[in-house]
C-alpha cells in the first residue's frame, strides 16, 4: 500500500500530492514519514535551477545514507540531502542569519523539483547527489506556478511544509 504526503507553500496556499517511493528509497522515505510534518522557510534553488526547498534539523535516528540518488532530478521529484553546518556556512549561499542554517549542526534539505533541466552541481562542492524519496502525482502544474512566483517575487515569509496526506490517493 502506497503512502502519500502533501507539499505545501503555506502563504501561497498551494499544495501538491506526492507518493513516497518506499520500494526505491525505503530508508529515506521511512525517515521522512516518521518525522512528518516538517516545515521551514522556503528557499529557491540557486544552483540546481527549478527547485524549492527548506532546511530542517537532521531528524533520522540513523542517517539513511545514499539511496536512489540522482544529480539530474526531474519535475515532481522530492529529494533529501544531508549537510553539515560547514557545508552550508559559506557566505556565497546567501542565507540570512535568521533564516538559513542558523545554529543547526546537521541539516536536512528537503526539496521539490518542479521543472526540467536540473543539475545538482555546486561550485564549492562539486556534484551533490540527492536521494529521490517521493514523486508528485497530483497538482504539479499549480505548484510549479507557485514555485515560479517564489523565484520571481521572493521567498520572504513563505513556509514550505511536508506533511502526511489525509487525502485519498489517486
Amino acid at each position: 500500500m502506497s503512502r502519500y504526503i502533501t507539499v505545501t507553500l503555506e502563504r501561497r496556499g498551494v499544495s501538491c500530492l506526492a507518493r513516497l517511493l518506499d520500494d526505491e528509497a525505503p530508508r529515506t522515505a521511512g525517515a521522512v514519514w516518521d518525522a512528518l510534518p516538517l516545515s521551514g522557510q522556503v528557499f529557491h534553488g540557486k544552483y540546481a535551477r527549478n527547485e524549492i526547498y527548506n532546511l530542517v534539523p537532521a531528524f533520522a535516528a540513523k542517517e539513511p545514507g545514499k539511496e536512489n540518488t540522482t544529480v539530474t532530478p526531474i519535475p515532481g521529484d522530492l529529494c533529501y540531502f544531508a549537510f553539515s553546518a560547514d557545508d552550508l556556512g559559506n557566505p556565497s549561499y546567501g542565507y540570512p542569519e535568521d533564516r538559513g542554517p542558523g545554529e543547526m549542526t546537521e541539516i536536512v534539505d528537503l526539496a521539490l523539483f518542479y521543472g526540467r533541466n536540473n543539475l545538482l552541481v555546486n561550485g564549492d562542492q562539486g556534484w551533490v547527489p540527492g536521494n529521490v524519496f517521493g514523486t508528485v502525482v497530483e497538482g504539479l502544474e499549480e505548484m510549479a506556478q507557485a514555485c515560479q512566483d517564489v523565484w520571481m517575487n521572493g521567498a520572504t515569509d513563505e513556509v514550505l511544509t511536508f506533511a502526511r496526506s489525509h487525502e485519498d490517493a489517486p
Side-chain angles (χ1 to χ4, degrees), residues 42-62:
V42 73
F43 297 97
H44 194 284
K46 185 174 182 178
Y47 299 103
R49 195 165 182 168
N50 299 301
E51 169 198 18
I52 61 168
Y53 63 96
N54 64 19
L55 301 174
V56 297
F59 49 79
K62 180 179 182 205

Side-chain angles (χ1 to χ4, degrees), residues 33-98:
W33 181 262
D34 290 345
L36 294 177
L38 293 164
S39 295
Q41 166 69 43
V42 73
F43 297 97
H44 194 284
K46 185 174 182 178
Y47 299 103
R49 195 165 182 168
N50 299 301
E51 169 198 18
I52 61 168
Y53 63 96
N54 64 19
L55 301 174
V56 297
F59 49 79
K62 180 179 182 205
E63 171 59 34
K66 295 191 183 319
E67 67 175 353
N68 200 35
T69 60
T70 189
V71 294
T72 56
I74 62 173
D77 277 351
L78 301 183
C79 289
Y80 170 106
F81 303 89
F83 296 108
S84 74
D86 293 335
D87 293 329
L88 299 182
N90 186 319
S92 70
Y93 292 101
Y95 294 117
E97 287 184 30
D98 63 336

Side-chain angles (χ1 to χ4, degrees), residues 139-155:
L140 183 59
E141 186 174 325
E142 183 179 8
M143 180 59 85
Q145 291 172 0
C147 293
Q148 191 63 32
D149 188 60
V150 169
W151 174 249
M152 297 305 295
N153 294 308

Side-chain angles (χ1 to χ4, degrees), residues 148-164:
Q148 191 63 32
D149 188 60
V150 169
W151 174 249
M152 297 305 295
N153 294 308
T156 302
D157 298 326
E158 181 62 87
V159 173
L160 179 62
T161 298
F162 293 78
R164 291 181 184 190

